[in-house]
Amino acid sequence: MNTTQGDDYCFVVKDPEERSVALEMREHDDLAKQNYLTVWQKLSLALQKHHQLGKTTDPPEWTTWKPGEWCDQKHGYEKRQKYVAWCGNNLVGFLHVWPDFPSAHQLDQSVLYIEHLAAAPGNLDTELWARRFRYVGAALLAYAVLLGKSQGFGGRVGLHAADEKALEFYRYLHEAKCGGKLFSAERADVPGPTPRGDQDRTKTYLEMSEEGANAWLGGYRRG
Protein backbone atom coordinates (compact mmCIF):
# COMPACT_ATOMS: atom_id res chain seq x y z
CA MET A 1 0.00 0.00 0.00
CA ASN A 2 1.49 3.33 -1.04
CA THR A 3 1.48 6.09 1.53
CA THR A 4 1.08 9.81 0.88
CA GLN A 5 4.06 11.24 -0.98
CA GLY A 6 3.09 14.89 -0.88
CA ASP A 7 2.49 16.45 -4.28
CA ASP A 8 5.01 19.21 -3.58
CA TYR A 9 7.93 16.93 -2.68
CA CYS A 10 10.02 14.19 -4.26
CA PHE A 11 12.36 12.12 -2.09
CA VAL A 12 15.33 11.24 -4.26
CA VAL A 13 18.57 9.30 -3.89
CA LYS A 14 21.52 8.90 -6.24
CA ASP A 15 22.44 5.75 -8.17
CA PRO A 16 26.08 4.75 -8.99
CA GLU A 17 25.99 6.98 -12.09
CA GLU A 18 24.88 9.95 -9.94
CA ARG A 19 21.43 9.94 -11.48
CA SER A 20 18.52 10.99 -9.28
CA VAL A 21 16.09 8.19 -8.44
CA ALA A 22 12.81 8.82 -6.63
CA LEU A 23 11.95 6.74 -3.58
CA GLU A 24 8.55 5.15 -3.28
CA MET A 25 7.46 5.20 0.35
CA ARG A 26 5.05 2.46 1.38
CA GLU A 27 3.56 1.24 4.61
CA HIS A 28 5.20 -1.92 5.92
CA ASP A 29 3.82 -5.13 4.38
CA ASP A 30 4.64 -8.82 4.08
CA LEU A 31 6.95 -8.25 1.10
CA ALA A 32 9.10 -5.97 3.24
CA LYS A 33 9.13 -8.50 6.08
CA GLN A 34 10.28 -11.28 3.75
CA ASN A 35 13.03 -9.01 2.44
CA TYR A 36 14.22 -8.33 6.00
CA LEU A 37 14.25 -12.04 6.84
CA THR A 38 16.12 -13.10 3.71
CA VAL A 39 18.13 -10.44 1.85
CA TRP A 40 18.81 -8.11 4.81
CA GLN A 41 19.63 -10.93 7.23
CA LYS A 42 21.93 -12.79 4.82
CA LEU A 43 23.90 -9.68 3.95
CA SER A 44 24.30 -8.89 7.64
CA LEU A 45 25.45 -12.42 8.44
CA ALA A 46 27.91 -12.42 5.55
CA LEU A 47 29.51 -9.20 6.77
CA GLN A 48 29.66 -10.43 10.36
CA LYS A 49 31.46 -13.60 9.23
CA HIS A 50 33.86 -11.56 7.07
CA HIS A 51 34.92 -9.49 10.08
CA GLN A 52 35.18 -12.57 12.31
CA LEU A 53 37.47 -14.33 9.84
CA GLY A 54 39.58 -11.22 9.30
CA LYS A 55 39.96 -10.61 13.05
CA THR A 56 40.96 -7.00 12.43
CA THR A 57 37.87 -4.86 13.01
CA ASP A 58 34.45 -5.41 14.54
CA PRO A 59 31.42 -5.66 12.23
CA PRO A 60 29.16 -2.59 12.09
CA GLU A 61 26.54 -2.32 14.83
CA TRP A 62 23.72 -2.42 12.28
CA THR A 63 24.55 -6.05 11.40
CA THR A 64 22.90 -7.04 14.70
CA TRP A 65 19.63 -5.27 13.84
CA LYS A 66 16.60 -7.48 13.30
CA PRO A 67 13.95 -5.40 11.49
CA GLY A 68 12.04 -8.55 10.53
CA GLU A 69 11.49 -9.35 14.20
CA TRP A 70 10.82 -5.74 15.18
CA CYS A 71 7.88 -5.54 12.80
CA ASP A 72 6.16 -8.38 14.67
CA GLN A 73 6.42 -6.73 18.09
CA LYS A 74 2.92 -6.18 19.47
CA HIS A 75 2.45 -5.41 23.17
CA GLY A 76 3.53 -1.87 23.90
CA TYR A 77 4.25 -1.12 20.24
CA GLU A 78 0.74 -0.27 19.10
CA LYS A 79 1.64 3.36 18.33
CA ARG A 80 4.60 2.47 16.09
CA GLN A 81 4.13 3.52 12.45
CA LYS A 82 6.18 1.52 9.93
CA TYR A 83 7.29 2.69 6.48
CA VAL A 84 9.56 1.19 3.84
CA ALA A 85 11.46 2.93 1.04
CA TRP A 86 11.67 1.22 -2.35
CA CYS A 87 13.48 1.90 -5.62
CA GLY A 88 11.67 -0.40 -8.01
CA ASN A 89 12.09 -3.91 -6.58
CA ASN A 90 14.90 -2.82 -4.26
CA LEU A 91 14.12 -2.25 -0.59
CA VAL A 92 16.55 0.57 0.18
CA GLY A 93 15.62 1.61 3.70
CA PHE A 94 12.98 1.79 6.41
CA LEU A 95 11.51 4.21 8.93
CA HIS A 96 9.67 3.60 12.21
CA VAL A 97 8.07 6.56 13.98
CA TRP A 98 5.91 7.28 17.03
CA PRO A 99 3.48 10.22 17.19
CA ASP A 100 2.93 12.76 19.95
CA PHE A 101 6.26 12.52 21.80
CA PRO A 102 6.81 15.44 24.24
CA SER A 103 9.38 17.91 22.98
CA ALA A 104 12.55 18.20 25.06
CA HIS A 105 12.93 21.84 24.02
CA GLN A 106 9.36 23.21 23.85
CA LEU A 107 7.36 21.97 26.80
CA ASP A 108 4.02 22.88 25.21
CA GLN A 109 4.75 21.03 21.95
CA SER A 110 5.00 17.44 20.73
CA VAL A 111 7.16 15.90 18.02
CA LEU A 112 7.13 12.87 15.77
CA TYR A 113 9.71 10.51 17.29
CA ILE A 114 11.98 8.50 14.98
CA GLU A 115 12.62 5.09 16.50
CA HIS A 116 14.46 3.56 13.52
CA LEU A 117 15.82 5.21 10.39
CA ALA A 118 18.19 3.13 8.29
CA ALA A 119 19.41 2.39 4.80
CA ALA A 120 19.32 -1.28 3.81
CA PRO A 121 22.67 -3.14 3.86
CA GLY A 122 23.14 -2.88 0.09
CA ASN A 123 23.13 0.90 0.38
CA LEU A 124 25.92 1.10 2.94
CA ASP A 125 29.63 0.97 2.17
CA THR A 126 31.29 -2.10 3.70
CA GLU A 127 34.47 -4.13 3.27
CA LEU A 128 32.53 -6.47 0.95
CA TRP A 129 30.51 -4.12 -1.25
CA ALA A 130 29.96 -0.50 -2.23
CA ARG A 131 26.56 1.04 -1.67
CA ARG A 132 24.15 1.11 -4.59
CA PHE A 133 22.04 4.13 -3.70
CA ARG A 134 23.37 7.17 -1.83
CA TYR A 135 21.61 9.67 0.47
CA VAL A 136 18.92 7.21 1.58
CA GLY A 137 19.13 8.30 5.23
CA ALA A 138 18.87 11.98 4.34
CA ALA A 139 15.77 11.33 2.23
CA LEU A 140 14.15 9.26 4.97
CA LEU A 141 14.76 12.07 7.44
CA ALA A 142 13.00 14.51 5.11
CA TYR A 143 10.10 12.10 4.73
CA ALA A 144 9.80 11.91 8.51
CA VAL A 145 9.46 15.70 8.55
CA LEU A 146 6.63 15.48 6.01
CA LEU A 147 4.91 12.85 8.17
CA GLY A 148 5.28 15.12 11.18
CA LYS A 149 3.68 18.01 9.31
CA SER A 150 0.79 15.85 8.10
CA GLN A 151 0.16 14.61 11.64
CA GLY A 152 0.05 18.04 13.22
CA PHE A 153 3.53 18.38 14.72
CA GLY A 154 4.67 21.23 12.50
CA GLY A 155 7.42 19.09 11.00
CA ARG A 156 9.18 18.77 14.36
CA VAL A 157 10.92 15.40 14.81
CA GLY A 158 13.04 13.94 17.59
CA LEU A 159 15.34 10.93 17.78
CA HIS A 160 18.08 9.18 19.71
CA ALA A 161 21.28 8.48 17.78
CA ALA A 162 21.61 4.69 17.76
CA ASP A 163 25.41 4.71 18.03
CA GLU A 164 28.47 6.86 17.39
CA LYS A 165 28.30 6.27 13.64
CA ALA A 166 24.72 7.49 13.53
CA LEU A 167 25.61 10.49 15.70
CA GLU A 168 28.40 11.39 13.26
CA PHE A 169 25.88 11.27 10.41
CA TYR A 170 23.41 13.60 12.12
CA ARG A 171 26.15 16.00 13.22
CA TYR A 172 27.41 16.09 9.63
CA LEU A 173 23.95 17.03 8.37
CA HIS A 174 23.59 19.64 11.10
CA GLU A 175 26.98 21.28 10.70
CA ALA A 176 28.17 20.71 7.13
CA LYS A 177 24.84 20.72 5.34
CA CYS A 178 22.77 23.11 7.43
CA GLY A 179 25.27 25.49 9.03
CA GLY A 180 24.37 24.42 12.55
CA LYS A 181 20.65 25.14 12.10
CA LEU A 182 19.12 21.67 11.68
CA PHE A 183 18.91 20.51 15.30
CA SER A 184 18.44 22.22 18.63
CA ALA A 185 21.10 21.64 21.30
CA GLU A 186 21.93 17.99 21.96
CA ARG A 187 20.39 16.51 25.08
CA ALA A 188 21.21 13.55 27.34
CA ASP A 189 19.05 11.61 29.81
CA VAL A 190 15.94 11.81 27.63
CA PRO A 191 13.82 8.62 27.71
CA GLY A 192 12.17 7.43 24.52
CA PRO A 193 8.49 6.51 24.01
CA THR A 194 9.04 2.79 23.36
CA PRO A 195 8.89 -0.01 25.96
CA ARG A 196 12.69 0.14 26.14
CA GLY A 197 12.65 3.92 26.43
CA ASP A 198 14.70 4.11 29.64
CA GLN A 199 17.61 2.44 27.84
CA ASP A 200 17.72 5.44 25.51
CA ARG A 201 18.71 7.77 28.37
CA THR A 202 22.37 6.96 27.70
CA LYS A 203 22.11 7.98 24.03
CA THR A 204 22.31 11.47 22.55
CA TYR A 205 18.89 12.96 21.87
CA LEU A 206 18.43 15.26 18.88
CA GLU A 207 15.41 17.34 18.01
CA MET A 208 14.68 19.47 14.97
CA SER A 209 13.16 22.86 15.46
CA GLU A 210 10.19 23.63 13.24
CA GLU A 211 12.39 26.04 11.29
CA GLY A 212 15.18 23.50 10.82
CA ALA A 213 12.76 20.74 9.86
CA ASN A 214 11.00 22.84 7.25
CA ALA A 215 14.31 23.94 5.76
CA TRP A 216 15.46 20.31 5.45
CA LEU A 217 12.19 19.23 3.86
CA GLY A 218 12.38 22.21 1.50
CA GLY A 219 15.43 20.64 -0.12
CA TYR A 220 13.12 17.96 -1.55
CA ARG A 221 10.53 20.34 -2.95
CA ARG A 222 9.66 19.64 -6.58
CA GLY A 223 10.99 22.18 -9.07
Side-chain angles (χ1 to χ4, degrees):
M1 177 180 178
N2 293 357
T3 191
T4 302
Q5 300 292 305
D7 292 340
D8 295 334
Y9 302 95
C10 183
F11 301 95
V12 298
V13 294
K14 295 286 188 178
D15 71 7
E17 285 73 43
E18 289 297 309
R19 296 173 298 195
S20 294
V21 181
L23 295 181
E24 180 184 2
M25 297 299 302
R26 307 179 198 168
E27 294 180 7
H28 172 80
D29 57 14
D30 188 62
L31 178 61
K33 178 180 177 180
Q34 293 306 313
N35 195 292
Y36 295 146
L37 295 176
T38 55
V39 178
W40 184 300
Q41 182 173 324
K42 288 182 178 180
L43 287 172
S44 295
L45 290 174
L47 190 59
Q48 286 179 356
K49 181 58 66 174
H50 169 77
H51 281 268
Q52 290 168 8
L53 293 173
K55 298 181 180 179
T56 55
T57 58
D58 293 329
E61 177 68 22
W62 60 260
T63 61
T64 65
W65 288 21
K66 298 183 182 299
E69 295 181 9
W70 296 342
C71 290
D72 283 337
Q73 292 171 314
K74 302 298 183 184
H75 181 66
Y77 290 87
E78 292 82 2
K79 295 179 68 175
R80 176 193 275 164
Q81 301 172 11
K82 300 173 288 188
Y83 301 94
V84 184
W86 296 85
C87 284
N89 293 324
N90 298 291
L91 189 156
V92 298
F94 74 102
L95 177 70
H96 292 167
V97 299
W98 295 62
D100 206 25
F101 180 65
S103 169
H105 291 273
Q106 296 175 277
L107 298 183
D108 60 338
Q109 300 289 345
S110 294
V111 306
L112 186 74
Y113 179 81
I114 298 175
E115 179 188 13
H116 300 126
L117 183 156
N123 303 292
L124 297 168
D125 287 327
T126 74
E127 292 185 9
L128 291 181
W129 60 78
R131 56 186 170 182
R132 181 172 184 184
F133 295 104
R134 302 171 60 203
Y135 310 121
V136 173
L140 289 173
L141 186 61
Y143 187 72
V145 172
L146 181 61
L147 287 173
K149 289 176 69 69
S150 70
Q151 296 182 29
F153 306 117
R156 295 180 299 275
V157 299
L159 60 94
H160 287 90
D163 52 32
E164 284 301 314
K165 192 71 174 178
L167 185 56
E168 288 177 10
F169 168 71
Y170 291 119
R171 284 174 173 170
Y172 169 75
L173 296 184
H174 175 68
E175 296 166 4
K177 293 294 185 180
C178 299
K181 297 181 180 179
L182 183 59
F183 295 108
S184 299
E186 296 179 3
R187 290 288 182 89
D189 197 31
V190 177
T194 75
R196 64 180 189 284
D198 274 342
Q199 299 176 26
D200 292 325
R201 289 182 180 274
T202 61
K203 300 175 181 177
T204 300
Y205 177 77
L206 299 170
E207 187 173 299
M208 285 187 181
S209 65
E210 188 169 350
E211 179 183 3
N214 288 329
W216 186 253
L217 177 61
Y220 293 84
R221 184 178 294 276
R222 294 182 186 274

